[in-house]
Structures are given as structure tokens and as C-alpha cells.
Amino acid sequence: MTEEEPEANKPIEGTVIEVELPSIENSRRADSAVESSHGKKKGMILPFEPHSITFDEIVYSVDMPQEMKQQGAQDKLVLLNGVSGAFRPRVLTALMGISGAGKTTLLDVLAGRKTGGYIEGSIKISGFPKRQETFARISGYCEQNDIHSPRVTVYESLLYSAWLRLPSSIDSNTRLMFIEEVMELVELNRVRNSLVGLPGVNGLSTEQRKRLTIAVELVANPSIIFMDEPTSGLDARAAAIVMRTVRNTVDTGRTVVCTIHQPSIDIFEAFDESIEGVSKIKDGYNPATWMLEVTTTAQELNLGVDFADLYKSSDLYR
């Protein structure tokens, strides 16, 4: 899976962005408004339009280093070759593969984060050709490395993100109420006033930082969210907590795509979709091993199908 790449926005030297943050009194009013509205409304206070993302025959290549060319290598190195697929709202999709398989590369191409190389193929958002300048407004990206300011609290991190990224047409109280909803969704209320701190030194645990990364993207109210190995570096319990947050995000109606490496069976079962006829994973079996076994040519021969043809004749492909 891959996508077009926009030029990175270059910062203007000497420019200061001034952000007006709400007063503590306004924040408290919003808190009480949220409390009084709990149990009465479904979904989230800020609406969003669900979007699907489809890609067809994506090819991503980069220039081969000059030294390699001099040794007779081809001019371009192909990293993604003819990748097709579709991601839909309310469906949690996993991109699985060994290290170096191209999971993050595909994610970056689809998200428009590749600023070098050559991208070919078609990427569409709900049937319309993808334009990066508008796609950036409806999408979020959670990187594998969680980067946050260590000297602010969890609540302040979300506050800054919301005030910088939400449209100016949304009033302060609505923003504050939305932040409260997001904190409840990712289960960060208990540490709302805790300093983020430095990874492995003080502040939030690795698992809490992962959930904060997801929350910082969610307060921008995206329709599509890409997550690069959200369970990387976590033990089984912490990974399960993070995946519960991811599942909660999907249940709001958003399109969520995760790269994942060597998942536990509990994490693996959090994802959607299956192919009819393929045997279910056995209890205690390694999901990555199972995935490799059921996608072999031998498995296709046993079922009498071609997985690529099966996809191209599916409702998802149409």
C-alpha cells in the first residue's frame, strides 16, 4: 500500500505562532458540562465524516546510490511493487510482516509522509483522488517513537494539540468537552494531571505514552488514523491496554490501520476480517507463524483458490 507524497512544509524563520489557551474557569465549566451530558449522548461531540481509503497497483521506488549504479545495479530500487487494498470505517486493519517487509513504507506512502522517491498507482479517499493538502486535515499518524514535551501534563498536551489543530470555527467550550471525551476514550483521566516526563526516566509509563500519542492525534478529530506498531516495546498486559484504546477508537466510526509485528493471540484477535475457508488459529499458536502458514501457495491449492483473485472478485475490491 502506498501513496502520494507532499513536500514538507518549511518553517518560516523568525515567526512565532501565538495560541490563546482557555482559562481555568472555562476549563472547569466544560468539565461540568461533560459530566452532566454523560449517558445522554452517543458518539463524540465533534462530528466527522467517515472515509475509506483505497489504493490500486501502488509502486514506490527510490534512486539507487551512485556507487551501486557504477557496479551495474539498476537505476531504481523498488520498495513496494503493485500493492492494492482498501481500508474502511469501523474496521481495524493490520499490516503484518517481518522487519523490513515494507509495512511502515506502505503506511508512509499512503499517509503522504514520503518526500522522496517515486510513487505510481492510484490512491482514492471515498472514491475521489487523494490530494495531500486536504487529506492532511482528515488524517492522523501515530509514530512508533512517542515524542512529547516532558514538562507539561497529559491534559496540557491534549490542550495544545486541540488548539493548534482544530478549526477556528469550533468554540472553546466545545474543544474542552471534546478533549474530555478523548481522555475518557483512551483511558487517561487517571493521569490527566501527571507530567509526561522523559521515557524510561520519570513521568508516564511506556504504555501510557502510547495512549497519549493516540489521544494527541484524536483531538484533531481525524477520519483516518495510521498507527506504526502501537504495541512495540510493550509487555502483553500493556499491549492489551493499548489495543483496547485502539479498538475504542475504531468503534467511534474511524478508519484505523496499524502495522504490527509478532502480535500475541489476544492482540491478533482484536483485528477484523477473515477469508472464508481458511482454518482458524489454534489456541496458544503464534499468530505470525499461523499467518505465514495460511497464506502459502500450498494453502491456496488446498482451498482451490488464488488469494489475489479472491480479493479482486470481492465486494471490498469493487
Side-chain angles (χ1 to χ4, degrees):
M1 322 163 178
T2 311
E3 118 78 24
E4 63 179 289
E5 32 185 280
E7 293 187 5
N9 294 326
K10 298 180 179 178
I12 302 174
E13 293 185 7
T15 298
V16 176
I17 300 177
E18 186 174 341
V19 181
E20 182 181 352
L21 294 174
S23 65
I24 294 177
E25 182 181 352
N26 284 342
S27 178
R28 287 172 179 161
R29 281 204 300 265
D31 289 352
S32 61
V34 171
E35 290 173 5
S36 64
S37 62
H38 272 299
K40 297 181 181 179
K41 57 181 174 23
K42 296 180 180 179
M44 305 188 82
I45 191 171
L46 287 184
F48 65 92
E49 185 175 351
H51 287 291
S52 60
I53 176 170
T54 59
F55 45 98
D56 190 42
E57 294 296 324
I58 295 296
V59 177
Y60 176 64
S61 56
V62 294
D63 288 323
M64 191 70 77
Q66 191 61 39
E67 310 82 65
M68 299 292 291
K69 291 181 182 179
Q70 293 173 354
Q71 296 177 17
Q74 56 188 3
D75 291 340
K76 294 180 181 178
L77 175 63
V78 178
L79 301 180
L80 298 173
N81 189 13
V83 184
S84 301
F87 304 138
R88 295 169 291 165
R90 290 192 179 276
V91 175
L92 177 55
T93 306
L95 299 182
M96 286 183 62
I98 62 172
S99 296
K103 304 184 297 295
T104 301
T105 300
L106 175 59
L107 214 63
D108 287 346
V109 170
L110 291 175
R113 294 167 66 90
K114 289 294 184 187
T115 55
Y118 310 90
I119 298 176
E120 303 171 38
S122 168
I123 301 173
K124 293 185 177 180
I125 308 301
S126 295
F128 294 92
K130 177 177 172 286
R131 296 180 57 198
Q132 186 59 35
E133 55 269 29
T134 53
F135 181 71
R137 295 178 179 272
I138 64 164
S139 63
Y141 193 108
C142 300
E143 296 190 22
Q144 185 174 346
N145 297 320
D146 308 299
I147 302 174
H148 302 288
S149 176
R151 294 182 178 86
V152 298
T153 65
V154 168
Y155 180 75
E156 288 169 340
S157 296
L158 301 185
L159 199 66
Y160 290 135
S161 181
W163 251 255
L164 285 170
R165 300 175 66 183
L166 286 173
S168 57
S169 57
I170 299 175
D171 63 80
S172 295
N173 280 343
T174 301
R175 295 186 194 206
L176 291 169
M177 292 172 70
F178 186 59
I179 291 172
E180 296 296 334
E181 287 185 322
V182 169
M183 278 202 300
E184 182 176 340
L185 185 73
V186 300
E187 303 174 34
L188 283 175
N189 269 320
R190 188 171 59 86
V191 293
R192 61 181 296 138
N193 295 319
S194 300
L195 287 176
V196 174
L198 296 170
V201 178
N202 54 27
L204 302 182
S205 66
T206 304
E207 162 258 316
Q208 289 169 337
R209 293 176 68 88
K210 290 283 184 186
R211 285 189 282 141
L212 178 58
T213 297
I214 295 172
V216 165
E217 292 301 312
L218 272 178
V219 293
N221 201 29
S223 299
I224 300 172
I225 303 179
F226 301 99
M227 300 184 184
D228 189 13
E229 299 201 15
T231 60
S232 176
L234 302 179
D235 59 33
R237 178 183 175 278
I241 294 172
V242 170
M243 287 309 300
R244 185 171 65 208
T245 295
V246 175
R247 186 74 247 181
N248 290 344
T249 301
V250 175
D251 291 341
T252 64
R254 291 173 167 82
T255 300
V256 179
V257 185
C258 298
T259 62
I260 194 161
H261 182 262
Q262 289 287 3
S264 68
I265 192 165
D266 293 332
I267 292 174
F268 185 74
E269 289 178 343
F271 292 89
D272 299 292
E273 298 302 296
S274 62
I275 295 178
E276 187 176 352
V278 175
S279 58
K280 300 294 183 182
I281 187 171
K282 299 176 183 178
D283 291 341
Y285 209 68
N286 183 288
T289 302
W290 174 83
M291 179 65 77
L292 289 173
E293 290 176 354
V294 299
T295 54
T296 61
T297 304
Q299 180 76 7
E300 291 179 311
L301 290 174
N302 288 337
L303 295 174
V305 299
D306 182 297
F307 288 143
D309 291 341
L310 201 62
Y311 167 67
K312 290 186 176 180
S313 63
S314 67
D315 291 336
L316 179 61
Y317 178 80
R318 284 191 291 273

